[in-house]
Amino acid sequence: QPQWTLLVQGLDLHVPAAAEMLRRAVALRADLQAAVLRIQDMASRDVLTGLYNRRHALDMLDHLGKARERLPSPCTLVLVDLDHFKLVNDSFGHGVGDEVLKHFATQAQEILRGSELIARWGGEEFLLILPNTAVDGALVALERLRIAVQTRPIVAAKTSLTINFSSGLADLKLGEPADCAIQRADVALYQSKATGRGRDTVHP
């Protein structure tokens, strides 16, 4: 009986310590999982604008293509290029150029809320993925975005500075590889740039 009592007392002494160690281990694991998720999110983001990067956009297009096989729906891809961006850098400096890129990203995220995905495609070029949106709806959204970009002030930039963009749109057809649709949007974007900029062109 004395030995039994002593054993129970020993357990009483060690159970709180074991529980605390378990609690700390669970908390550490949760912290590590959160850190991994943060790193993964950072790897999918453009450092300057906070938008998704090109690699993540391509991954999302792959997932979207598989989802549309199960449940067909319209989808429009838009390539956007900021007009005369090199002139902005040359005239005002790269710091203001960075502010212009962030300004566009902010307005795009605000105007294109919901399931839309906005990615920095490279330099001053952006890719908009608009699921459940036909070309006509995408054109309406782009006009709203253009008004916001032109009329809202650019933080830390010259007060006289206004920007515009050109775009090319392509309907992502069912079963079409995403890179083919992006190429068609790029052709349409080139037409917008070649015919005066500040406009949207739909690839037939």
Side-chain angles (χ1 to χ4, degrees):
Q1 183 67 34
Q3 289 182 340
W4 176 253
T5 304
L6 184 61
L7 179 61
V8 171
Q9 289 176 344
L11 285 175
D12 286 342
L13 289 173
H14 286 85
V15 164
E20 177 62 18
M21 289 178 62
L22 179 61
R23 185 194 68 77
R24 291 183 180 180
V26 170
L28 179 60
R29 182 177 180 182
D31 289 343
L32 288 173
Q33 288 176 334
V36 169
L37 290 174
R38 285 196 298 271
I39 292 171
Q40 290 175 338
D41 185 65
M42 289 172 62
S44 68
R45 297 278 181 178
D46 172 61
V47 175
L48 177 65
T49 63
L51 298 177
Y52 287 115
N53 57 29
R54 186 181 188 126
R55 182 179 64 182
H56 184 77
L58 291 173
D59 288 343
M60 291 300 99
L61 280 170
D62 183 57
H63 291 307
L64 179 62
K66 294 174 182 176
R68 293 176 76 222
E69 290 177 2
R70 299 189 298 271
L71 185 63
S73 60
C75 180
T76 301
L77 304 185
V78 186
L79 274 178
V80 171
D81 186 271
L82 302 187
D83 293 332
H84 303 294
F85 183 73
K86 184 178 184 302
L87 183 60
V88 172
N89 279 333
D90 292 344
S91 301
F92 302 106
H94 289 276
V96 172
D98 288 348
E99 291 298 329
V100 167
L101 294 171
K102 290 189 286 187
H103 173 73
F104 177 84
T106 298
Q107 305 313 317
Q109 287 176 306
E110 182 173 334
I111 297 297
L112 303 175
R113 293 176 176 174
S115 59
E116 294 83 357
L117 186 145
I118 310 155
R120 188 176 180 191
W121 197 240
E124 67 271 25
E125 202 167 72
F126 301 84
L127 176 69
L128 314 181
I129 303 173
L130 310 180
N132 303 311
T133 304
V135 167
D136 288 347
L139 288 169
V140 172
L142 284 171
E143 186 56 30
R144 291 173 55 217
L145 177 57
R146 180 171 281 107
I147 292 171
V149 166
Q150 290 180 326
T151 59
R152 295 178 183 175
I154 300 173
V155 177
K158 305 295 183 181
T159 56
S160 60
L161 177 61
T162 58
I163 61 170
N164 202 348
F165 63 81
S166 303
S167 80
L169 299 85
D171 172 31
L172 179 59
K173 305 180 188 303
L174 289 174
E176 178 185 22
D179 58 345
C180 293
I182 293 171
Q183 178 61 34
R184 292 192 293 111
D186 191 49
V187 170
L189 172 61
Y190 178 82
Q191 293 175 348
S192 290
K193 305 288 279 190
T195 54
R197 295 184 171 86
R199 61 190 65 197
D200 311 306
T201 301
V202 180
H203 192 280

